Amino acid sequence: MSWETVIGLEIHAQLATKSKIFSGASTAYGAEPNTQACAVDLALPGVLPVLNKKAVEMAIAFGLAVGAELPKKSVFARKNYFYPDSPKGYQISQFELPVVSTGAIDIDVNGETKHIGITRAHLEEDAGKSLHEDFHGMTGIDLNRSGTPLLEIVSEPDMRSADEAIAYAKAIHELVQFIGICDGNMQEGSFRVDVNISIRKPGEPFGTRTELKNINSFRFIEKAIAYELDRHIDILESGGKIVQETRLYDADRDETRSMRAKEEANDYRYFPDPDLLPVIITQEDIDAVRQTLPELPAQMRARFVEQYGLSDYDANQLTASQATAAYYEAMVKQGADAKLCANWMTGDLSKALNRESLSIVDSPVKAEALSGLVKRIMDNTISGKIAKQVFDAMWQGEGSADEIIEKHGLKQITDTSAIEKIVDDVLAANAGQVEAYKNGQEKLFGFFVGQVMKLSKGQANPAQVNELLKAKLS
């Protein structure tokens, strides 16, 4: 009997507030160490935390987006443990009464939809950062991150493979960006994933789990799960026992290593923080946040399929972010064909953006301009092949599609007599190939098409070229 993998994820999404969760210090990334840490973040005596209302509203937005229960009352607790970069000696988090409870999200894996439960999502503060590399034989402490608001999203152990875990992590990553509560930047630590993994024989109780901490890459999630899965199987099949512990994933060595024994809730001695009042959330608060929510990714994908007649693949690509979806709809709004717009966005535009490492909001070819190019294809002013040449010129800033077509004389040749003359010239110059074609080498038809397009500098209408060639070679 084979082993069954059981995976649950704890995702730390940094909330996109301008100030920290319990102080007015900035959350901006990249400042000099300890320049964005105030007396509250340093835990100086006599200071008191003040809850950032915006962080609570963002947590509510997430709860609404995953159909979660939103308790009317939530409580902040002290999670007691010592870390050098946590000067209070405890972390303000939530325990028994989180702000978001019991939701779910659907993921698509290998053509099948799976429902993944979300146990809870609670607010908490981030710790600072220990700097081991900048001080020989010593450790520096940077408290700029201390107090940064996090939403910890805890899933049910509903995933059974690395593919499902990555699909779930990507779905949450997409969602928090879509609703504007997290920038999703994994390199800067705004979106970090802890993986809880165990194995069991199907139908048996859950096995002992290990936790892989702070993974900030979808590829590393996959590699870490693969390594840890093999490690669990090797231990159990050789008669050993899994130790419940927290482990780190070393990407350089592609291995996991033990960090510490896994703590239980009792080890943290949670108790309600006496400096913070319980948070009371009214229906009016929830309704107000609901009014600010945009159309969610799943709803938008379904609408794109229905409204624009797109495939599921195109709809997925075009709703990868709010900016991508907005670009697409701006193109279609100009009157360009919906499918052609999708093809250009997922094709030439996407390649150009990737080549230049640009986001779509920084594209030098704006939606209205690309729509103009698509419309010139639709009205047969240019062929699809010439359109690529026009797009390159637009990317280089030469102007609109119409300006470039006019400037370079790129209008498509649709005059039948003009195309017929070119066809006749090509057939006359390639008598041997014509005879071979008529003797059964039908693959030469593409050769004739290519020669006509070459002679017309790509400007002959391809449909007319095909039609005329078929007539003359029959």
Side-chain angles (χ1 to χ4, degrees), residues 79-125:
K79 183 180 181 182
N80 293 278
Y81 63 90
F82 173 77
Y83 276 151
D85 50 18
S86 181
K88 289 196 293 289
Y90 61 85
Q91 178 190 30
I92 301 178
S93 182
Q94 294 188 310
F95 181 48
E96 293 180 321
L97 296 172
V99 67
V100 175
S101 174
T102 317
I105 193 167
D106 288 340
I107 60 171
D108 292 319
V109 179
N110 300 324
E112 295 184 4
T113 300
K114 185 166 183 178
H115 203 59
I116 305 297
I118 293 173
T119 313
R120 55 190 273 144
H122 60 261
L123 287 165
E124 64 183 24
E125 60 179 350

Side-chain angles (χ1 to χ4, degrees), residues 20 35 37 62 75 89 157 219 315 419 423 450 468:
K20 295 182 179 177
T35 58
F62 176 79
V75 172
R219 186 166 63 90
I419 297 175
V423 168
L468 284 167

Side-chain angles (χ1 to χ4, degrees), residues 13-17 54-68 70 100 104-105 118 121 151 153 170-184 191 288-300 319-323:
Q14 178 179 322
L15 297 176
T17 57
K54 194 66 181 174
V56 178
E57 292 174 347
M58 288 181 171
I60 294 172
F62 176 79
L64 290 171
V66 296
L70 294 168
V100 175
I105 193 167
I118 293 173
L151 186 66
I153 304 159
K170 285 185 173 178
I172 296 292
H173 186 251
E174 176 189 60
L175 182 62
V176 295
Q177 292 180 87
F178 232 86
I179 61 177
I181 68 169
C182 174
D183 65 19
F191 191 89
V289 174
R290 196 191 307 275
Q291 293 299 317
T292 68
L293 279 181
E295 184 180 24
L296 299 179
Q299 297 167 347
M300 186 177 282
T319 57
S321 70
Q322 282 274 21

